[in-house]
Short mmCIF file of all heavy atoms in Angstrom, two decimals:
data_model
loop_
_atom_site.label_atom_id
_atom_site.label_comp_id
_atom_site.label_asym_id
_atom_site.label_seq_id
_atom_site.Cartn_x
_atom_site.Cartn_y
_atom_site.Cartn_z
N VAL A 706 46.90 -23.99 28.87
CA VAL A 706 47.72 -25.17 28.96
C VAL A 706 47.02 -26.17 28.07
O VAL A 706 45.85 -26.30 27.98
CB VAL A 706 47.88 -25.69 30.40
CG1 VAL A 706 48.69 -26.99 30.42
CG2 VAL A 706 48.54 -24.71 31.26
N TYR A 707 47.89 -26.95 27.30
CA TYR A 707 47.46 -28.00 26.37
C TYR A 707 48.12 -29.31 26.62
O TYR A 707 49.28 -29.30 26.86
CB TYR A 707 47.60 -27.55 24.98
CG TYR A 707 46.79 -26.29 24.53
CD1 TYR A 707 47.35 -25.09 24.59
CD2 TYR A 707 45.43 -26.42 24.06
CE1 TYR A 707 46.76 -23.88 24.30
CE2 TYR A 707 44.73 -25.34 23.81
CZ TYR A 707 45.41 -24.06 23.85
OH TYR A 707 44.69 -22.89 23.49
N ALA A 708 47.42 -30.35 26.35
CA ALA A 708 48.05 -31.64 26.33
C ALA A 708 48.87 -31.75 25.01
O ALA A 708 48.54 -31.19 24.06
CB ALA A 708 46.97 -32.80 26.31
N ASP A 709 49.92 -32.43 25.10
CA ASP A 709 50.83 -32.55 23.95
C ASP A 709 50.18 -33.07 22.73
O ASP A 709 50.34 -32.69 21.60
CB ASP A 709 52.03 -33.49 24.33
CG ASP A 709 52.99 -32.86 25.18
OD1 ASP A 709 52.94 -31.59 25.38
OD2 ASP A 709 53.79 -33.59 25.81
N SER A 710 49.20 -33.93 22.93
CA SER A 710 48.42 -34.58 21.76
C SER A 710 47.47 -33.68 21.10
O SER A 710 47.13 -34.00 19.90
CB SER A 710 47.60 -35.72 22.37
OG SER A 710 46.65 -35.32 23.29
N VAL A 711 47.32 -32.46 21.58
CA VAL A 711 46.34 -31.55 20.89
C VAL A 711 46.97 -30.21 20.55
O VAL A 711 46.36 -29.39 19.98
CB VAL A 711 45.04 -31.30 21.66
CG1 VAL A 711 44.30 -32.61 22.01
CG2 VAL A 711 45.32 -30.55 22.96
N LYS A 712 48.18 -29.97 21.06
CA LYS A 712 48.94 -28.72 20.78
C LYS A 712 49.00 -28.47 19.29
O LYS A 712 49.31 -29.38 18.48
CB LYS A 712 50.35 -28.77 21.36
CG LYS A 712 50.36 -28.52 22.87
CD LYS A 712 51.83 -28.53 23.38
CE LYS A 712 51.89 -28.27 24.79
NZ LYS A 712 53.25 -28.40 25.35
N GLY A 713 48.68 -27.23 18.92
CA GLY A 713 48.77 -26.78 17.58
C GLY A 713 47.52 -27.15 16.78
O GLY A 713 47.35 -26.65 15.60
N ARG A 714 46.56 -27.99 17.32
CA ARG A 714 45.41 -28.32 16.81
C ARG A 714 44.11 -27.67 17.43
O ARG A 714 43.15 -27.28 16.74
CB ARG A 714 45.19 -29.79 16.59
CG ARG A 714 46.25 -30.49 15.81
CD ARG A 714 45.93 -31.98 15.57
NE ARG A 714 45.89 -32.69 16.82
CZ ARG A 714 44.74 -33.45 17.14
NH1 ARG A 714 43.70 -33.45 16.37
NH2 ARG A 714 44.83 -34.14 18.23
N PHE A 715 44.21 -27.67 18.77
CA PHE A 715 43.12 -27.29 19.63
C PHE A 715 43.37 -25.92 20.19
O PHE A 715 44.45 -25.67 20.48
CB PHE A 715 42.77 -28.18 20.73
CG PHE A 715 42.24 -29.53 20.22
CD1 PHE A 715 42.20 -30.00 18.95
CD2 PHE A 715 41.71 -30.44 21.29
CE1 PHE A 715 41.65 -31.17 18.58
CE2 PHE A 715 41.13 -31.58 20.90
CZ PHE A 715 41.18 -32.01 19.61
N THR A 716 42.41 -25.04 20.32
CA THR A 716 42.51 -23.76 20.96
C THR A 716 41.43 -23.59 21.97
O THR A 716 40.26 -23.67 21.70
CB THR A 716 42.43 -22.70 19.97
OG1 THR A 716 43.51 -22.87 19.01
CG2 THR A 716 42.64 -21.30 20.62
N ILE A 717 41.79 -23.19 23.17
CA ILE A 717 40.85 -22.93 24.22
C ILE A 717 40.74 -21.40 24.39
O ILE A 717 41.76 -20.69 24.34
CB ILE A 717 41.17 -23.57 25.53
CG1 ILE A 717 40.00 -23.49 26.57
CG2 ILE A 717 42.47 -23.10 26.19
CD1 ILE A 717 40.26 -24.35 27.83
N SER A 718 39.53 -20.92 24.63
CA SER A 718 39.28 -19.44 24.86
C SER A 718 38.14 -19.39 25.72
O SER A 718 37.30 -20.34 26.02
CB SER A 718 39.13 -18.76 23.55
OG SER A 718 37.97 -19.24 22.90
N ARG A 719 37.85 -18.14 26.20
CA ARG A 719 36.73 -17.85 27.09
C ARG A 719 36.19 -16.51 26.96
O ARG A 719 36.94 -15.52 26.55
CB ARG A 719 37.05 -18.11 28.60
CG ARG A 719 38.05 -17.17 29.27
CD ARG A 719 38.50 -17.64 30.64
NE ARG A 719 37.34 -17.65 31.50
CZ ARG A 719 37.38 -18.35 32.66
NH1 ARG A 719 38.46 -18.97 33.03
NH2 ARG A 719 36.41 -18.34 33.55
N ASP A 720 34.89 -16.38 27.18
CA ASP A 720 34.18 -15.10 27.17
C ASP A 720 33.48 -15.00 28.51
O ASP A 720 32.37 -15.56 28.67
CB ASP A 720 33.18 -15.12 25.98
CG ASP A 720 32.54 -13.68 25.80
OD1 ASP A 720 32.50 -12.93 26.77
OD2 ASP A 720 32.04 -13.39 24.71
N ASN A 721 34.05 -14.32 29.48
CA ASN A 721 33.49 -14.23 30.80
C ASN A 721 32.15 -13.47 30.76
O ASN A 721 31.34 -13.81 31.66
CB ASN A 721 34.41 -13.56 31.78
CG ASN A 721 35.60 -14.52 32.19
OD1 ASN A 721 35.55 -15.71 31.82
ND2 ASN A 721 36.65 -13.98 32.63
N ALA A 722 31.96 -12.56 29.81
CA ALA A 722 30.68 -11.79 29.90
C ALA A 722 29.57 -12.83 29.44
O ALA A 722 28.41 -12.64 29.85
CB ALA A 722 30.75 -10.72 28.82
N LYS A 723 29.85 -13.89 28.77
CA LYS A 723 28.94 -14.90 28.29
C LYS A 723 29.01 -16.18 29.19
O LYS A 723 28.25 -17.12 28.91
CB LYS A 723 29.10 -15.18 26.83
CG LYS A 723 28.80 -14.07 25.91
CD LYS A 723 28.96 -14.54 24.41
CE LYS A 723 28.64 -13.38 23.51
NZ LYS A 723 28.73 -13.70 22.09
N SER A 724 29.84 -16.10 30.12
CA SER A 724 30.04 -17.26 31.06
C SER A 724 30.30 -18.53 30.18
O SER A 724 29.78 -19.62 30.48
CB SER A 724 28.85 -17.53 31.88
OG SER A 724 28.69 -16.41 32.82
N THR A 725 31.12 -18.41 29.17
CA THR A 725 31.27 -19.51 28.25
C THR A 725 32.80 -19.73 27.95
O THR A 725 33.55 -18.72 27.83
CB THR A 725 30.61 -19.23 26.88
OG1 THR A 725 29.22 -19.02 27.20
CG2 THR A 725 30.73 -20.31 25.94
N VAL A 726 33.19 -20.96 27.88
CA VAL A 726 34.48 -21.41 27.47
C VAL A 726 34.39 -22.25 26.20
O VAL A 726 33.45 -23.02 26.00
CB VAL A 726 35.24 -22.15 28.53
CG1 VAL A 726 36.51 -22.83 27.99
CG2 VAL A 726 35.60 -21.26 29.72
N TYR A 727 35.32 -22.03 25.20
CA TYR A 727 35.17 -22.71 23.95
C TYR A 727 36.44 -23.57 23.74
O TYR A 727 37.45 -23.26 24.34
CB TYR A 727 35.20 -21.63 22.82
CG TYR A 727 34.05 -20.58 22.92
CD1 TYR A 727 34.25 -19.40 23.42
CD2 TYR A 727 32.77 -21.02 22.50
CE1 TYR A 727 33.21 -18.44 23.57
CE2 TYR A 727 31.79 -20.10 22.51
CZ TYR A 727 31.96 -18.82 23.06
OH TYR A 727 30.93 -17.92 23.14
N LEU A 728 36.16 -24.64 22.95
CA LEU A 728 37.36 -25.42 22.58
C LEU A 728 37.21 -25.59 21.01
O LEU A 728 36.34 -26.35 20.67
CB LEU A 728 37.33 -26.80 23.26
CG LEU A 728 38.61 -27.75 22.99
CD1 LEU A 728 39.81 -27.13 23.57
CD2 LEU A 728 38.41 -29.10 23.50
N GLN A 729 38.04 -24.92 20.34
CA GLN A 729 38.08 -25.03 18.87
C GLN A 729 39.03 -26.17 18.55
O GLN A 729 40.23 -26.16 18.99
CB GLN A 729 38.63 -23.74 18.23
CG GLN A 729 38.74 -23.77 16.69
CD GLN A 729 37.35 -23.94 16.02
OE1 GLN A 729 36.38 -23.23 16.45
NE2 GLN A 729 37.36 -24.74 15.02
N MET A 730 38.48 -27.16 17.82
CA MET A 730 39.30 -28.35 17.60
C MET A 730 39.39 -28.48 15.93
O MET A 730 38.39 -28.63 15.26
CB MET A 730 38.54 -29.57 18.11
CG MET A 730 38.25 -29.47 19.61
SD MET A 730 37.58 -31.02 20.20
CE MET A 730 36.02 -31.13 19.30
N ASN A 731 40.64 -28.32 15.53
CA ASN A 731 40.92 -28.47 14.05
C ASN A 731 41.68 -29.69 13.78
O ASN A 731 42.31 -30.25 14.74
CB ASN A 731 41.68 -27.16 13.66
CG ASN A 731 40.91 -25.84 13.81
OD1 ASN A 731 39.61 -25.86 13.74
ND2 ASN A 731 41.58 -24.86 14.16
N SER A 732 41.77 -30.09 12.54
CA SER A 732 42.62 -31.18 12.17
C SER A 732 42.26 -32.38 12.98
O SER A 732 43.25 -33.01 13.43
CB SER A 732 44.12 -30.90 12.20
OG SER A 732 44.41 -29.75 11.40
N LEU A 733 41.01 -32.72 13.12
CA LEU A 733 40.64 -33.79 14.01
C LEU A 733 41.12 -35.19 13.53
O LEU A 733 41.10 -35.35 12.25
CB LEU A 733 39.14 -33.85 14.22
CG LEU A 733 38.58 -32.66 15.20
CD1 LEU A 733 37.17 -32.38 15.05
CD2 LEU A 733 38.92 -33.07 16.61
N LYS A 734 41.37 -36.00 14.48
CA LYS A 734 41.89 -37.36 14.08
C LYS A 734 40.97 -38.36 14.75
O LYS A 734 40.25 -38.07 15.79
CB LYS A 734 43.27 -37.60 14.69
CG LYS A 734 44.30 -36.57 14.28
CD LYS A 734 45.63 -36.76 14.94
CE LYS A 734 46.69 -35.73 14.54
NZ LYS A 734 47.93 -35.89 15.22
N PRO A 735 40.93 -39.54 14.26
CA PRO A 735 40.01 -40.60 14.81
C PRO A 735 40.39 -40.83 16.36
O PRO A 735 39.38 -41.13 17.13
CB PRO A 735 40.33 -41.89 13.96
CG PRO A 735 40.67 -41.30 12.69
CD PRO A 735 41.47 -39.99 13.05
N GLU A 736 41.60 -40.69 16.67
CA GLU A 736 42.03 -40.82 18.11
C GLU A 736 41.48 -39.69 19.01
O GLU A 736 41.56 -39.77 20.23
CB GLU A 736 43.46 -40.98 18.32
CG GLU A 736 44.30 -39.91 17.59
CD GLU A 736 44.78 -40.33 16.27
OE1 GLU A 736 43.97 -40.96 15.47
OE2 GLU A 736 45.98 -40.10 15.86
N ASP A 737 40.89 -38.68 18.45
CA ASP A 737 40.21 -37.63 19.24
C ASP A 737 38.83 -37.97 19.66
O ASP A 737 38.17 -37.27 20.42
CB ASP A 737 40.14 -36.27 18.47
CG ASP A 737 41.56 -35.72 18.16
OD1 ASP A 737 42.40 -35.78 19.09
OD2 ASP A 737 41.80 -35.21 17.02
N THR A 738 38.35 -39.07 19.12
CA THR A 738 36.99 -39.61 19.43
C THR A 738 36.84 -39.82 20.97
O THR A 738 37.58 -40.56 21.54
CB THR A 738 36.66 -40.82 18.69
OG1 THR A 738 36.57 -40.53 17.31
CG2 THR A 738 35.32 -41.37 19.16
N ALA A 739 35.89 -39.20 21.58
CA ALA A 739 35.70 -39.30 23.08
C ALA A 739 34.53 -38.51 23.47
O ALA A 739 33.98 -37.82 22.66
CB ALA A 739 36.96 -38.86 23.83
N VAL A 740 34.20 -38.66 24.71
CA VAL A 740 33.13 -37.80 25.38
C VAL A 740 34.10 -36.67 26.01
O VAL A 740 34.93 -36.94 26.77
CB VAL A 740 32.38 -38.44 26.54
CG1 VAL A 740 31.43 -37.40 27.18
CG2 VAL A 740 31.55 -39.51 25.90
N TYR A 741 33.71 -35.40 25.68
CA TYR A 741 34.47 -34.24 26.17
C TYR A 741 33.68 -33.60 27.29
O TYR A 741 32.51 -33.30 27.18
CB TYR A 741 34.74 -33.27 25.01
CG TYR A 741 35.73 -33.75 24.13
CD1 TYR A 741 35.58 -34.86 23.24
CD2 TYR A 741 36.98 -33.02 24.03
CE1 TYR A 741 36.63 -35.21 22.38
CE2 TYR A 741 38.02 -33.49 23.20
CZ TYR A 741 37.83 -34.51 22.37
OH TYR A 741 38.80 -34.93 21.60
N TYR A 742 34.50 -33.31 28.41
CA TYR A 742 33.84 -32.72 29.59
C TYR A 742 34.57 -31.35 29.82
O TYR A 742 35.72 -31.31 29.72
CB TYR A 742 33.97 -33.53 30.79
CG TYR A 742 33.36 -34.95 30.66
CD1 TYR A 742 34.16 -36.06 30.15
CD2 TYR A 742 32.07 -35.19 31.14
CE1 TYR A 742 33.63 -37.33 30.13
CE2 TYR A 742 31.58 -36.45 31.06
CZ TYR A 742 32.32 -37.51 30.54
OH TYR A 742 31.80 -38.74 30.44
N CYS A 743 33.71 -30.39 30.27
CA CYS A 743 34.37 -29.20 30.85
C CYS A 743 34.18 -29.26 32.39
O CYS A 743 33.33 -29.94 32.88
CB CYS A 743 33.79 -27.91 30.25
SG CYS A 743 32.06 -27.56 30.78
N ALA A 744 35.14 -28.61 33.04
CA ALA A 744 35.12 -28.60 34.52
C ALA A 744 35.77 -27.29 35.09
O ALA A 744 36.50 -26.55 34.36
CB ALA A 744 35.97 -29.76 34.98
N ALA A 745 35.27 -26.95 36.25
CA ALA A 745 35.68 -25.66 36.79
C ALA A 745 36.57 -25.86 38.05
O ALA A 745 36.18 -26.64 38.81
CB ALA A 745 34.49 -24.81 37.17
N ASP A 746 37.69 -25.01 38.14
CA ASP A 746 38.53 -25.07 39.31
C ASP A 746 38.37 -23.74 39.96
O ASP A 746 38.81 -22.68 39.46
CB ASP A 746 39.98 -25.27 38.71
CG ASP A 746 41.06 -25.13 39.84
OD1 ASP A 746 40.72 -24.94 41.02
OD2 ASP A 746 42.21 -25.20 39.45
N PHE A 747 37.92 -23.71 41.21
CA PHE A 747 37.67 -22.47 41.92
C PHE A 747 38.78 -22.14 42.96
O PHE A 747 38.45 -21.29 43.84
CB PHE A 747 36.24 -22.59 42.68
CG PHE A 747 35.12 -22.34 41.69
CD1 PHE A 747 34.45 -23.38 41.18
CD2 PHE A 747 34.71 -21.08 41.36
CE1 PHE A 747 33.38 -23.24 40.28
CE2 PHE A 747 33.72 -20.83 40.49
CZ PHE A 747 33.03 -21.97 39.92
N ARG A 748 39.84 -22.70 42.91
CA ARG A 748 40.92 -22.26 43.80
C ARG A 748 41.31 -20.85 43.53
O ARG A 748 41.38 -20.41 42.35
CB ARG A 748 42.12 -23.18 43.56
CG ARG A 748 42.01 -24.56 44.08
CD ARG A 748 43.28 -25.41 43.80
NE ARG A 748 43.44 -25.43 42.36
CZ ARG A 748 44.73 -25.62 41.80
NH1 ARG A 748 45.81 -25.78 42.56
NH2 ARG A 748 44.87 -25.70 40.50
N PRO A 749 41.51 -20.10 44.62
CA PRO A 749 41.68 -18.62 44.46
C PRO A 749 43.06 -18.25 43.88
O PRO A 749 43.98 -17.73 44.60
CB PRO A 749 41.48 -18.07 45.86
CG PRO A 749 42.05 -19.25 46.72
CD PRO A 749 41.55 -20.54 46.05
N ARG A 750 43.27 -18.50 42.57
CA ARG A 750 44.49 -18.16 41.92
C ARG A 750 44.28 -17.93 40.43
O ARG A 750 43.32 -18.48 39.83
CB ARG A 750 45.51 -19.32 42.09
CG ARG A 750 44.99 -20.57 41.64
CD ARG A 750 45.94 -21.73 42.00
NE ARG A 750 47.17 -21.62 41.30
CZ ARG A 750 47.39 -22.24 40.12
NH1 ARG A 750 46.43 -22.83 39.49
NH2 ARG A 750 48.64 -22.09 39.52
#
């Protein structure tokens, strides 16, 4: 799922074997400036 503001520019992916999630950010804009946080949701679904 993506926010409308990043659709078509950002891609999220994961490698469970490496316990890693990636966020590929292309065509960056000044309004993308921010502190970026990752977070985990452990609900059983």
Side-chain angles (χ1 to χ4, degrees):
V706 177
Y707 296 93
D709 288 343
S710 59
V711 306
K712 279 182 182 176
R714 299 188 299 122
F715 291 12
T716 302
I717 189 171
S718 61
R719 68 189 295 163
D720 184 341
N721 286 344
K723 295 182 178 180
S724 297
T725 302
V726 169
Y727 304 98
L728 185 68
Q729 178 67 43
M730 305 186 296
N731 299 328
S732 302
L733 283 161
K734 305 175 181 179
E736 50 263 44
D737 294 319
T738 295
V740 177
Y741 283 70
Y742 301 89
C743 66
D746 171 5
F747 282 96
R748 289 178 300 154
R750 57 190 290 272

